[in-house]
Amino acid sequence: MPITSRSVTARTAVMAAGLALATGLAACSAEATPASNSNPFSEGAVDPAAAAALPERYKSAGVINVASDIPYPPMEMFDENQQLTGLDYDLAQALGAKLGVRLELQTQAFDSIIPSLQSGKNDIIMSGMNDTPERQETLDFVDYFHAGFSILVPEGNPGNITTVLDLCDKDVAVQKATVQAEILRTYEQQCLDKGSRPIRVSELPLETDVQTAVRSGKAAADVVDSAVAAYAATTAGDGKIFDLVKDPANPAGYNPVYTGIGVLKKDAELSKALLAALQSLIADGTYDRILAKYNLSDYTVKETGLNLGGTKP
């Protein structure tokens, strides 16, 4: 059965900074997050075709507001100086350079991230959001990432979890408004068939809250995007905190899916401009450099496109 979701840092101190900032940022979700003073990916040349395709209202404003549920390492996070970083942040800077405008990340809780576009507060979503047929009813996706979903457990794997069915009759935490919870509940009959009780799923506001629950023993595991799980499992600092469960039958994670930039369907011209900018980044190698920076090269898209969710890579 597939597992799908929405879609720590290199040092434990960075994860702690993200946790400390999350509460404060939640109270001002419409405000722009702190950005690094300089970012090499914002310094690329404009792509004339992509810039020409951008609707006039964004050219005039000079900015595209990006809804992003921060922190969600390694997609969006804070460094040791509390400056915003991560795959989505760097990619946003590079896309802005191609389009000749700024892409400015705005902190937005994930469960209200689509409504923030519908209300006009934000223009697009870059938040590790998976491209699913259900979401395609509301959004178009410019797909830039392809990864599965994995199980994150405390270091040493005290629950001896080796596959998703080992989660039966255990407390598992996931982030609220992701589809992991729904999918995990589809294993109820398989758990019963093996003589066990269903998985007990709890949904928490932030991925950092989920990881805290696992660290504190309130949850046996976190089911999350493979990129996030792999990043958390390699966290340095005072010692190893998590282990990544490696299911031999699913070495790349469960059911790889596409992650994309979410754009309301009525803004189709904006989607086309973003797609042209992304294709330009792939062609000149910037895209590969961004993924390599975060050790995520295993999750590149061979060829990008619109609404690839539900199709084979």
Side-chain angles (χ1 to χ4, degrees):
M1 295 290 292
I3 296 179
T4 53
S5 82
R6 78 160 181 156
S7 126
V8 175
T9 58
R11 302 231 171 242
T12 303
V14 182
M15 180 179 174
L19 283 165
L21 285 165
T23 302
L25 288 171
C28 54
S29 62
E31 297 180 4
T33 58
S36 302
N37 292 328
S38 62
N39 184 288
F41 299 112
S42 66
E43 300 169 359
V46 170
D47 182 282
L54 188 66
E56 185 59 40
R57 68 187 181 100
Y58 301 106
K59 295 178 187 178
S60 299
V63 62
I64 297 172
N65 290 321
V66 183
S68 190
D69 179 24
I70 304 166
Y72 190 68
M75 309 306 281
E76 307 92 23
M77 55 192 176
F78 295 95
D79 65 17
E80 62 274 9
N81 298 314
Q82 298 186 2
Q83 298 294 325
L84 190 56
T85 186
L87 171 61
D88 283 340
Y89 175 74
D90 283 352
L91 185 60
Q93 305 316 298
L95 288 167
K98 291 293 185 183
L99 294 168
V101 297
R102 298 191 325 277
L103 267 67
E104 193 169 89
L105 270 66
Q106 311 280 345
T107 303
Q108 187 72 45
F110 198 77
D111 58 359
S112 62
I113 209 163
I114 294 177
S116 82
L117 267 61
Q118 295 168 324
S119 69
K121 181 186 294 185
N122 293 301
D123 303 310
I124 65 174
I125 297 167
M126 292 184 71
S127 194
M129 178 174 274
N130 295 147
D131 173 1
T132 66
E134 294 77 16
R135 287 175 177 151
Q136 286 178 20
E137 294 177 5
T138 305
L139 303 172
D140 285 325
F141 286 90
V142 180
D143 291 311
Y144 63 92
F145 199 70
H146 190 252
F149 304 91
S150 297
I151 302 169
L152 198 64
V153 297
E155 193 274 332
N157 194 5
N160 296 316
I161 296 166
T162 59
T163 74
V164 67
L165 290 181
D166 289 333
L167 299 176
C168 296
D169 199 22
K170 288 184 171 62
D171 295 304
V172 177
V174 300
Q175 186 177 9
K176 186 178 180 180
T178 64
V179 298
Q180 289 121 315
E182 178 184 347
I183 298 300
L184 284 175
R185 292 183 180 114
T186 68
Y187 285 91
E188 178 176 352
Q189 188 58 52
Q190 292 183 63
C191 290
L192 294 173
D193 289 345
K194 62 176 282 191
S196 184
R197 295 179 180 177
I199 301 167
R200 296 185 295 274
V201 181
S202 60
E203 300 180 65
L204 303 176
L206 298 170
E207 173 58 23
T208 44
D209 297 331
V210 175
Q211 293 181 11
T212 297
V214 175
R215 293 177 66 183
S216 66
K218 293 180 179 179
D222 169 12
V223 175
V224 67
D225 294 354
S226 291
V228 175
Y231 206 68
T234 58
T235 298
D238 295 332
K240 197 167 185 290
I241 300 171
F242 300 110
D243 279 347
L244 181 67
V245 173
K246 295 184 178 180
D247 182 346
N250 297 275
Y254 293 90
N255 270 42
V257 298
Y258 286 96
T259 293
I261 303 167
V263 186
L264 291 176
K265 285 192 172 294
K266 69 180 182 65
D267 294 326
E269 295 306 310
L270 176 57
S271 296
K272 292 176 183 177
L274 289 164
L275 177 59
L278 179 58
Q279 289 170 333
S280 182
L281 291 174
I282 291 173
D284 70 15
T286 302
Y287 169 80
D288 285 338
R289 290 195 296 275
I290 292 172
L291 268 71
K293 175 180 175 180
Y294 298 99
N295 297 316
L296 298 174
S297 297
D298 288 342
Y299 309 120
T300 59
V301 292
K302 295 179 181 178
E303 184 176 352
T304 189
L306 293 175
N307 300 325
L308 299 176
T311 65
K312 294 182 179 181

